Amino acid sequence: MMNMKKMMQQAQDLQKNMKKAQAEIEETTFYGTSAQDLVKVAFTGDRKLTNLDISAELIDPEDAETLSDMIAQAVNNALVEIDKTTEQKMGKFTKGLPF
């Protein structure tokens, strides 16, 4: 019976630590940039865009495609950083679990 009680306590501790790690991720600001830092973005850990900075030299009315590409590159860069950090912080809780 003690073994089951210990397992339940460990599960509760794991859940508490996972919630804490998730909160830390959500409170973190992640940055992404395009080539030559012409577009910079900032996201919260829960994937909300908080800032978009576009270099004035990139704004060319005749070349909207380049601006679009640079924005996509910066956004995707930031989202990759969120995924990497989430995997690093949350992955340690699921290693060795059978699912």
Side-chain angles (χ1 to χ4, degrees):
M1 195 59 142
M2 286 297 282
N3 199 18
M4 182 61 108
K5 186 175 181 180
K6 183 177 178 182
M7 284 177 39
M8 291 299 292
Q9 182 60 45
Q10 288 175 334
Q12 289 173 345
D13 290 345
L14 176 65
Q15 184 178 24
K16 179 180 159 186
N17 290 335
M18 286 177 69
K19 285 182 181 181
K20 181 181 176 191
Q22 185 64 44
E24 288 173 3
I25 292 168
E26 289 176 4
E27 293 172 3
T28 302
T29 300
F30 294 87
Y31 300 95
T33 59
S34 69
Q36 300 148 357
D37 295 337
L38 295 173
V39 175
K40 300 174 186 175
V41 296
F43 278 86
T44 60
D46 57 352
R47 301 182 183 294
K48 291 187 176 88
L49 180 66
T50 59
N51 190 44
L52 172 63
D53 181 35
I54 301 169
S55 173
E57 66 186 85
L58 187 58
I59 301 172
D60 179 355
E62 295 181 19
D63 189 13
E65 186 176 337
T66 297
L67 177 58
S68 178
D69 290 346
M70 293 287 191
I71 291 171
Q73 186 180 34
V75 167
N76 288 330
N77 181 268
L79 294 175
V80 165
E81 290 302 312
I82 293 170
D83 289 343
K84 283 198 288 191
T85 300
T86 299
E87 176 60 31
Q88 287 172 350
K89 288 190 178 231
M90 301 302 286
K92 65 184 174 189
F93 296 113
T94 58
K95 282 186 180 164
L97 294 178
F99 50 85

